[in-house]
Amino acid sequence: MQKNVTVAVDAMGGDNAPAEIVKGAVEAINEHKDLKVILVGDESVINRELASYSYNKDQMEVIHASEVITNNEHPVAAVRSKKDSSIVVAQRLVREGKADGFVSAGSTGAVLVGGQFIVGRIKGVERAPLAPLIPTTKGFSLLIDCGANVDARASHLVQFAKMGSIYMENILGRKNPTVAIVNVGAEEEKGNQLVKETMPLLKACDDINFIGSIEAREIPNGGADVIVCEAFTGNVILKLYEGVAMALLKKVKQGLMSTFRSKIGALLAKSALKKTLKEFDISRYGGAPMLGLNGLVVKSHGSSDATAIKTSIAQCITFARQDIPGKIREHIKDPKADEVEGKAHKKES
Amino acid sequence: MQKNVTVAVDAMGGDNAPAEIVKGAVEAINEHKDLKVILVGDESVINRELASYSYNKDQMEVIHASEVITNNEHPVAAVRSKKDSSIVVAQRLVREGKADGFVSAGSTGAVLVGGQFIVGRIKGVERAPLAPLIPTTKGFSLLIDCGANVDARASHLVQFAKMGSIYMENILGRKNPTVAIVNVGAEEEKGNQLVKETMPLLKACDDINFIGSIEAREIPNGGADVIVCEAFTGNVILKLYEGVAMALLKKVKQGLMSTFRSKIGALLAKSALKKTLKEFDISRYGGAPMLGLNGLVVKSHGSSDATAIKTSIAQCITFARQDIPGKIREHIKDPKADEVEGKAHKKES
């Protein structure tokens, strides 16, 4: 029999909390019999929501948290001062081993800060990246890092590449995923200081399928499965993806509505068009995992509905089943051990 | 009477050279009576192309250059070794004051390198940025820098902001253009080291309309007229713009072609849709100017047709007429003078 998995869910975070969060949690336990969900937040509010559903009571627990961290608060200050907030209380459950994973549609900043300082990093992991899936014409790729680690160093990017590969292979089933680093050109000599430093380190990794540089133009074409970059670049990519798509769809709509003839055309094409474009919707791919922690932290989109929450919870189940933290530990060795090994290699060659 | 303007044009650069380049040059002189074009490249080839047009011979000169720099060559090495290439010969004309501007659809790298080392920077300008126009839902914005200056410093970004403002106001007629710096969030404390260092310097500039940070999501919405960033980020923005747009349009096409009903709809909507989407085509906005040089260097898109070349030449005319180098000189003071002034300010406060 498979091991039971417990996921702590922030019932108070996101635009549609608590109704959609609670609904998503109920749907998750109804689908997965060996899952337990702990809903964290205002007990009376959560229980009121739960009252309208039927589900196995043994699979659901409610833990009270009296505070909520909002998007407008400074993340570090909020995590420090609001000890009884749903985010802090739920992440403490992961830290204490009472939950395998944590899902929140609330403040990204607070989730990231809590992930680093409450859940805590796996030994040897220098930085914990946020790694959302982005849509491509071939399906999707993992963009790592879009998190809080601006001004990352080369050694961080190497760890991102390894953790991203492990996630893509084990959670998303992409065999031997290709890994590329975001660069301003494909040529060897191109790049900023960070990319030039990182490139030989990535080439030297024999546990990833590194294919070299990727220009931003090739990302939407699915040019690589795992797209490695530091968080400033990652944030620009993620947000520009959304921005360009929204602006272009606005233009498509304008075009379709501009003449009588085109309006009739639009009426006929609408449902087919909607279906295809949904595949390219960045909010569709559930939550962004924060990797390298002692447990899985999933940041679900602020506008998450019940289905998105259910998907994020399912990610935690696979994560625990596949023992991703264990696999990361195997590949991310203690940096000092790496150094010693590096020297040994040099002597041999 | 207005001063005559002379523009040197690389007849050998780009996918459609020399036919479309020569055609664009002829169209430009037929439209502008006080313009002279110097076509640089293989004399016999150029003259063969010119033979099929009628134009005022006094406005056209051909200068022979026996070599061509291709996109596959290393820019620095190519500019150094190919002294008789069309790019090097034409840029020397600008340096020697025989031309006011230079237009090329050839190797971006060689154009940038030649701009810095042959045409040369205005005294006080630390780096010469490449500043293409990008389409937005409101029209277009200037993205500065997308050039070769990766790992720029804060003082460079401040100069980019000033030069971008001058260009946007004087060449493109955007009065008191808004200036923003690309950042990972709108909050004061957000940003990497470079953005944090640059922010107070931009705030202190009283000759630009600085409005603070811009998130990448807001760029396609026309969130600012002048978008300031270092070249690595700028390159990612420019290329992702193109990539996402292409991928999404592929999806739109797929959607429209997916059912019988939608195919009929597509037929009816096609022409209206094409017209609107053309407004969002990144290659439509002529050439990208390289600013801060002793003359205007315009890098036209590799796939430029005659119209694109004509537009790029027209940019050079306005640039010379408006005396942009003079205006840049006024706003970009000698760095040493700035330092002295900075100290004086500190003493006062």
Side-chain angles (χ1 to χ4, degrees), chain A residues 6-273:
Chain A
T6 303
V7 179
V9 176
D10 171 12
M12 314 310 284
D15 307 340
N16 305 315
E20 289 291 313
I21 316 294
V22 171
K23 191 178 171 211
V26 170
E27 286 176 5
I29 56 173
N30 285 343
E31 266 183 33
H32 304 274
K33 288 303 155 202
D34 36 15
L35 164 71
K36 185 183 162 186
V37 167
I38 306 178
L39 283 170
V40 182
D42 186 319
E43 205 168 13
S44 62
V45 172
I46 296 171
N47 282 328
R48 203 160 44 234
E49 290 292 332
L50 278 173
S52 50
Y53 299 104
S54 67
Y55 56 91
N56 175 5
K57 300 280 184 289
D58 294 343
Q59 286 181 257
M60 182 72 82
E61 187 180 343
V62 177
I63 290 188
H64 184 66
S66 62
E67 295 172 297
V68 175
I69 296 176
T70 67
N71 281 328
N72 306 322
E73 289 175 85
H74 189 290
V76 176
V79 168
R80 266 197 203 135
S81 65
K82 290 190 167 172
K83 301 272 185 232
D84 201 37
S85 62
S86 51
I87 289 178
V88 172
V89 171
Q91 292 198 329
R92 237 167 15 220
L93 293 172
V94 181
R95 185 202 192 104
E96 293 160 1
K98 291 174 187 158
D100 302 287
F102 167 58
V103 171
S104 175
S107 157
T108 306
V111 170
L112 292 178
V113 169
Q116 303 259 18
F117 297 110
I118 301 172
V119 175
R121 293 191 301 274
I122 290 170
K123 209 179 160 184
V125 170
E126 298 174 54
R127 302 271 192 111
L130 190 70
L133 290 176
I134 53 171
T136 72
T137 51
K138 290 184 191 160
F140 53 82
S141 298
L142 190 79
L143 181 65
I144 186 168
D145 174 28
C146 294
N149 307 315
V150 291
D151 298 315
R153 289 200 302 271
S155 61
H156 304 156
L157 265 60
V158 172
Q159 293 195 339
F160 298 170
K162 291 182 180 191
M163 292 192 281
S165 285
I166 293 169
Y167 192 85
M168 203 65 175
E169 177 142 4
N170 293 283
I171 305 285
L172 300 158
R174 192 79 53 98
K175 286 292 154 226
N176 197 24
T178 52
V179 179
I181 186 167
V182 178
N183 203 356
V184 294
E187 300 86 350
E188 188 79 9
E189 76 278 3
K190 285 273 175 81
N192 57 12
Q193 198 52 41
L194 177 65
V195 170
K196 283 177 183 167
E197 268 174 47
T198 311
M199 195 69 82
L201 302 180
L202 286 173
K203 277 186 188 159
C205 292
D206 49 15
D207 49 356
I208 58 168
N209 182 9
F210 182 60
I211 58 167
S213 292
I214 186 167
E215 278 197 276
R217 192 190 281 116
E218 293 307 316
I219 298 174
N221 285 335
D225 296 320
V226 179
I227 313 283
V228 175
C229 57
E230 58 80 40
F232 191 91
T233 303
N235 190 283
V236 165
I237 292 172
L238 187 69
K239 290 186 176 163
L240 194 65
Y241 234 88
E242 242 181 300
V244 171
M246 283 193 316
L248 203 60
L249 291 180
K250 204 170 155 182
K251 282 280 170 196
V252 168
K253 221 171 167 179
Q254 264 178 26
L256 290 175
M257 288 297 131
S258 61
T259 65
F260 179 68
R261 199 180 144 94
S262 70
K263 275 182 195 167
I264 307 219
L267 211 65
L268 291 167
K270 201 177 166 185
S271 73
L273 201 54

Side-chain angles (χ1 to χ4, degrees), chain B residues 15 26 34 39 43 52 57 73 129 150 208 215 264 273 296 305 323 335 337:
Chain B
D15 307 339
V26 170
D34 36 15
L39 283 170
E43 207 167 14
S52 51
K57 300 277 183 287
E73 290 176 85
V150 292
I208 58 168
E215 280 197 276
I264 306 216
L273 200 54
L296 184 57
D305 59 7
D323 185 26

